[in-house]
């Protein structure tokens, strides 16, 4: 059975020594929530993750969810009680607005907490994860009345939420949508249509489920410009806040899928369901994007989170499993063989995972700080907003691509035992796989990055990012110990710049040149971003070592892992740039029939 | 439901125009089996694959195998009848020795046929696949009596075979083995112990199962030097060839695993089972390697075969699914949206798959020709033997690593639908995953390549391989149309040489430097090998176009796909070389406790 131990020491290192939250105490987000408080909350959160959620992970996979004849769905054994504990502990309300019962904690905290929840039990974590997305969309775009009715219950976790975009014939291309909203004389709407792949769409964890549904108002504009967003509660809400009649939405079936069996993926049928408009008519995509951007960061973190727990278990196995002898001489003479961890190729896989996990975690939490800066409305809010827009697709796609690859490698370390369900490693692979697909398949993220985000405001965001890297490199230029970290970052940053300039030049000629290089470009961007985070971590570790106060072993390991990242991960940038520069010609040469 | 269409045209192109079988008709293997006959056999084979095996692929995944209380195992519905059809058709006997009822066909034919079987139904294909491995081991190492008793029934497929290496505490490191063989007064042995992960270990397809079992003879040398190989039939065989008593081997359980559910992966308990020595005492590894090398090629082909069928289905989906509009302007104005295949990032994934499938197929079949040269004992047999030894780990590891990556991408093209079991794409991912693990995990293949195969006979094999590439490049040097294919191959070949020289220099210093770069080196080797095959294919396609007799569309597509491979796949070699040259220091820096 897999284990999980929350990386609390890593979080502390990041909060205090890398992100420097103490220096940011002028931000309203951190004024009352400094590192001491955040650490205390995370330590408490770690307990529920390790002790309540993680033990249910395999149960959830084995049992899955069950749809009954009446359309109701039950979650796996133990999920209901665990959800109760989770909600009673106030965990859904961490970063929510105090006006609606939230705790008003910073976003950076939720980045760390969500990672722990997902490492423990990804399928479970999706229930509160989606709920928070609905909370955010309503908080930003809902009318005061909608907020008054729905936000307190979503904050408390008494109700959960879902997002409804996909239909059988349309996923990415929402302009093809057929679900209709018929205006009613009372100002409300009646929603009819079918939505598929609705995570957490029906279940027994909460007394009500609040569906956010994209639909076209009858008579509105064609295509994506006619899409509006609606709140459709499973049970109608009475004026006194109590639950009224069942609304016209029902679960037609649940999908049999590759993984995340503990989460019910539903076909939802809307049959004249009462719905309430969120925001303006035909402006549904704007509100939905609020929710989607939040969800994309969460999905990116799923890649990291499953990679982390898979890594932890691979390390244990590599330390314990005896097989073969070290090439450099017997390492464990008292044993019949040496542990796997003496073998370089096993190390390669473990170090790839470790270097990614720590770099990706730093990157995620740095994004969390950007969200807090934005939310505080402080100086730098515009830049923080730019970074969020620019880097959300990078987090979503790179962390899930690489997180999945790491799960595959963690499974590989187990050899044949990794293929057997009992060990739990293959579940990580199956679960992590979905994160590359949902909330916008990774190819869509790459297209969003090169097609939309690069050019935003005349490239303001990407130029700011280059300046951020350059400023850090300049700061470190005089520090001899940082030279081995700076050089590969500088090289990768230059490759990214070359790729960006190539796009500027060739994209005008033919937009396919942009799209053809988009995935490589996104990965090259991620290497630069993680490289930047690794330089910051190496610097912090070096400073810590020099100060002589902290855990020298921790700092030394950090420096060594950063070195590995620079030497063994960054070179991929060379191949990415070379591929980008070949453009679209060879890729697009064949007729569709020639495949 | 997924479809499968055997790539018969590809096989013909390879046999006739790339591998030039007609020019090799001096070889005994091809004297009586020229391209015409081979094509006819493959066309017949395609029918059973497409019509009988493929429709059972999903059934096999869903139902899996069932172990009953008495230890017997039943295969999924339809498997038994399909196996009967398969055996009655003479398919198990294709390449077997006519002396024992075989058809004596060339190995290159079985490479193509095995690919089709595995594309259709990987779990099914393992039953005859392992049987053939047992056939080969007995054919090469068994006594005349063992051959007389077992080979005819293995050839006809009346009996199937298994290989028994792994025990709960030992997989790769067979020196740790505990299964014991006690010599008996009659010259036989009694085998006792437990073997795990035995594919096709127990089932209802055949009347007898012939287990090849590694065990230590009581009182023999310690470690790997004391390992011998035994034949242990499920049912003892009477002097008249009829079946006698049940032997002391039983299936203790079958594993619940990630994929290949249609194949029973068994725990086999040996309790004083009667066994017969194969080859010499304590020389079991030699005979087992005969079987393993054969199995490793077959496993490599599994990577290709599942990649091919996943690709075929991804192409269909990409052509049919309407989503979004082409960036270069509307492609299908009469439809609500354009098909996925207009989008460059979808193309990127399809072209990666196509370029790999065709390159890997050419490589596999070229290896098949080497096997035929070796078997014919003709001039060049020594070199062919060297190539087989050198390249078997490359085929096994690269084709399965990349084949799996392609299945993941084929699934990705389906978006959310790829994650749903009904579509069958996620089964390909789960099935293909095992091929990176069994028959020696891919890290072991890489170590075999750099630690054993490179240095064999003073590097004779690897130097011959470089000379092979150089000769081809020299031949093409004057052909202007080939320049764009030659330059990337030359560059990659030079990277491979640099890596080889780096190993020569640094490996003496510290063997960990070799192991640390082994996986990247194996992949770099594979790029060079596939690049060589692509140059040969491009040349053949160009010649075909010039001759103006064949299918111009086919040749044009071949040239375009080769161009893609050169431009978009070969650049990875730059990153691989850079990583190799960083050696083991950063990789091995951390103490085991620091992970």
């Amino acid at each position: 059975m897999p284990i999980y131990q929350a990386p609390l020491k890593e979080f502390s290192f990041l909060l205090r020594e890398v992100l420097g939250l103490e220096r940011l105490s002028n931000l309203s987000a951190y004024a009352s929530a400094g590192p001491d408080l955040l650490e205390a909350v995370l330590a408490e959160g770690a307990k529920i993750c390790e002790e309540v959620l993680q033990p249910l992970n395999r149960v959830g996979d084995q049992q899955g969810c069950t749809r009954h004849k009446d359309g109701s769905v039950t979650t796996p054994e133990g999920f209901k009680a665990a959800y109760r504990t989770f909600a009673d502990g106030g965990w859904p309300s961490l970063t929510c607005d105090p006006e609606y019962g939230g705790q008003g904690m910073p976003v950076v905290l939720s980045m760390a907490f969500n990672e722990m929840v997902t490492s423990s039990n990804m399928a479970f974590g999706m229930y509160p994860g989606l709920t928070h997305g609905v909370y955010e969309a309503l908080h930003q775009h809902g009318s005061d009345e909608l907020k008054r009715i729905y936000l307190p219950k979503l904050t408390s976790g008494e109700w959960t939420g879902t997002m409804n975009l996909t239909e059988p014939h349309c996923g990415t291309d929402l302009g093809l949508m057929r679900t209709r909203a018929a205006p009613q004389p009372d100002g409300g709407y009646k929603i009819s249509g079918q939505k598929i792949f609705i995570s957490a769409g029906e279940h027994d964890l909460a007394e009500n489920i609040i569906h956010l549904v994209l639909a076209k108002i009858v008579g509105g504009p064609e295509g994506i410009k006619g899409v509006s967003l609606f709140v459709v509660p499973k049970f109608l809400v009475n004026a006194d806040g109590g639950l009224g009649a069942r609304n016209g939405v029902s679960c037609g079936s649940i999908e049999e899928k590759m993984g995340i069996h503990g989460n019910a993926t539903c076909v939802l049928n809307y049959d004249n369901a009462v719905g309430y408009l969120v925001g303006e008519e035909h402006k549904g995509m704007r509100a939905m994007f609020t929710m989607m951007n939040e969800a994309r960061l969460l999905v990116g973190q799923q890649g990291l989170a499953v990679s982390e727990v898979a890594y932890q278990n691979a390390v244990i196995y590599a330390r314990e499993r005896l097989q073969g002898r070290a090439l450099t001489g017997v390492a464990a003479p008292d044993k019949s063989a040496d542990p796997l961890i003496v073998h370089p190729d096993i190390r390669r896989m473990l170090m790839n995972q470790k270097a990614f996990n720590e770099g990706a975690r730093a990157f995620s939490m740095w994004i969390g700080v950007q969200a807090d800066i934005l939310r505080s409305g402080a100086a730098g809010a515009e830049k923080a907003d730019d970074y969020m827009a620019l880097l959300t697709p990078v987090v979503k796609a790179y962390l899930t691509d690489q997180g999945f690859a790491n799960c595959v490698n963690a499974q590989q370390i187990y050899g044949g035992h990794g293929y057997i369900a009992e060990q739990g490693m293959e579940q990580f692979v199956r679960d992590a796989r979905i994160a590359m697909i949902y909330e916008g398949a990774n190819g869509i993220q790459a297209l969003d990055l090169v097609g939309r985000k690069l050019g935003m405001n005349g490239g303001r965001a990407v130029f700011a990012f280059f300046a951020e890297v350059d400023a850090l490199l300049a700061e470190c230029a005089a520090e001899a110990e940082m030279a081995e970290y700076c050089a590969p970052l500088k090289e990768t940053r230059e490759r990214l710049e070359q790729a960006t300039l190539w796009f500027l030049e060739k994209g005008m000629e033919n937009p396919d040149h942009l799209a053809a290089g988009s995935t490589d470009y996104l990965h090259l961007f991620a290497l630069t971003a993680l490289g930047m985070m690794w330089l910051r971590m190496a610097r912090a570790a070096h400073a810590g070592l020099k100060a002589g106060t902290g855990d020298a072993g921790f700092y030394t390991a950090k420096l060594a892992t950063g070195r590995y990242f620079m030497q063994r991960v960054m070179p991929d940038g060379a191949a990415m740039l070379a591929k980008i520069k070949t453009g679209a010609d060879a890729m697009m040469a064949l007729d569709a029939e020639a495949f």
Side-chain angles (χ1 to χ4, degrees), chain A residues 383-437:
Chain A
K383 191 163 85 171
D385 199 16
D386 281 354
Y387 282 163
M388 301 276 292
L390 180 72
L391 297 172
T392 293
V394 178
V395 171
K396 197 283 179 180
Y398 181 73
L399 268 57
T400 59
D401 279 348
Q402 199 53 48
F404 174 74
N406 288 344
C407 291
V408 170
N409 272 337
Q411 181 189 25
Q412 188 74 13
I413 288 171
Y414 275 69
H417 297 275
Y419 200 67
I420 305 300
E422 196 185 350
Q423 298 282 349
M425 299 305 287
E426 59 94 38
Q427 184 191 344
F428 295 137
V429 173
R430 289 184 290 102
D431 284 356
R433 181 66 186 90
I434 188 59
M436 297 155 75
I437 298 172

Side-chain angles (χ1 to χ4, degrees), chain A residues 354-366:
Chain A
K354 183 173 167 67
F356 166 83
N357 293 343
E358 295 175 16
R361 179 178 298 118
F363 184 37
S364 295
M365 290 183 65
W366 181 78

Side-chain angles (χ1 to χ4, degrees), chain A residues 3-119:
Chain A
I3 61 94
Y4 172 65
Q5 201 167 14
L8 294 174
K9 194 162 187 175
E10 298 288 336
F11 292 135
S12 293
F13 171 67
L14 291 171
L15 292 171
R16 291 180 187 274
E17 298 171 67
V18 180
L19 302 171
L21 246 58
E22 274 144 350
R23 291 194 310 276
L24 296 170
S25 60
N26 59 319
L27 290 184
S28 59
Y30 304 132
S32 56
D36 288 346
L37 177 60
L38 300 187
E39 281 176 1
V41 174
L42 288 173
E44 207 50 47
K47 282 186 204 157
I48 186 172
C49 292
E50 294 170 0
E51 294 165 15
V52 178
L53 304 186
Q54 198 273 338
L56 293 176
N57 191 44
R58 189 141 186 256
V59 179
D61 185 56
Q62 290 177 304
Q63 291 186 5
C65 296
T66 310
R67 180 184 174 278
H68 306 281
K69 279 185 189 153
D70 63 356
S72 68
V73 171
T74 45
T75 52
E77 225 174 300
F79 270 47
K80 201 168 169 173
Y83 185 77
R84 186 51 35 223
T85 306
F86 188 86
D88 287 350
W91 298 107
S93 69
L94 268 192
T95 63
C96 296
D97 188 343
E99 195 181 331
Y100 301 102
Q103 301 180 56
M105 302 286 264
V107 176
V108 71
L109 175 72
S110 68
M111 299 302 274
F113 180 68
N114 288 338
E115 184 198 315
M116 297 193 297
V117 170
T118 305
S119 287

Side-chain angles (χ1 to χ4, degrees), chain A residues 225-247:
Chain A
K225 285 176 187 157
V227 169
S228 304
L229 184 66
F230 300 89
V231 168
V232 183
K234 173 178 167 185
F235 287 100
L236 296 172
V237 182
N238 295 332
D240 64 358
L243 296 186
R246 189 73 150 78
N247 203 353

